Amino acid sequence: MRPVDLMVRLEWAAVAVVAIIFYKMTGVSWWLFALLILAPDLSMLGYLAGPRVGAFAYNALHILIAPLVLALAGVLFAAPTTTAVALIWIAHIAIDRALGYGLKLSTGFQDTHLGRIGRDGDRVSS
C-alpha cells in the first residue's frame, strides 16, 4: 500500500471514530446503531438490475451529501434521532472508505473510484 493510500484510509477511520463519538453524544440507543450500520449496503440489491443501476443505487447511498444534509436538519430541528441516523450513515461511509471501498463504476461492482477491489484488484485483499 502506498503511503498516500494509508493516509487517506487513516483519515476516513478518524471520520468514523468522530461520527461514532458524536452518535454517543446524541443519547440514542446503540440498538439503532447496530440495526442501521449496514443498511446502506442494501443498495447492492440494485445490482440485480445490472451494473449500471447497481452502481447508481450503491453510490446514491454511499456519498456524504445526503447524510450531511440529514445531520444538519437533525441539529437545526433539535431532532436527536434524525441526527443519530445521519451519524450512523456517515460512520458507514467512512468505514467503507477506511477499508478501501470506493464509489462504484458502472463497469462492475469491483470497479471503484479508488481502484479495483477483490482478488484481482489492488485495493482490498480477500
Side-chain angles (χ1 to χ4, degrees), residues 24-76:
K24 181 178 180 355
M25 293 169 64
T26 67
V28 175
S29 170
W30 285 102
W31 285 108
L32 183 66
F33 189 93
L35 179 68
L36 295 181
I37 191 63
L38 296 177
D41 285 339
L42 292 173
S43 63
M44 287 188 278
L45 293 173
Y47 280 94
L48 295 173
R52 190 168 185 203
V53 172
F56 180 83
Y58 183 91
N59 292 342
L61 293 182
H62 285 83
I63 57 172
L64 286 173
I65 295 167
L68 288 175
V69 170
L70 188 64
L72 179 61
V75 170
L76 290 177

Side-chain angles (χ1 to χ4, degrees), residues 71-119:
L72 179 61
V75 170
L76 290 177
F77 295 110
T81 303
T82 301
T83 304
V85 169
L87 290 167
I88 295 166
W89 197 354
I90 291 167
H92 175 92
I93 293 168
I95 291 166
D96 272 4
R97 295 294 191 290
L99 293 173
Y101 293 106
L103 297 175
K104 306 304 181 194
L105 304 179
S106 61
T107 53
F109 185 79
Q110 282 87 6
D111 299 328
T112 78
H113 82 285
L114 297 174
R116 192 156 174 84
I117 58 172
R119 289 197 173 124

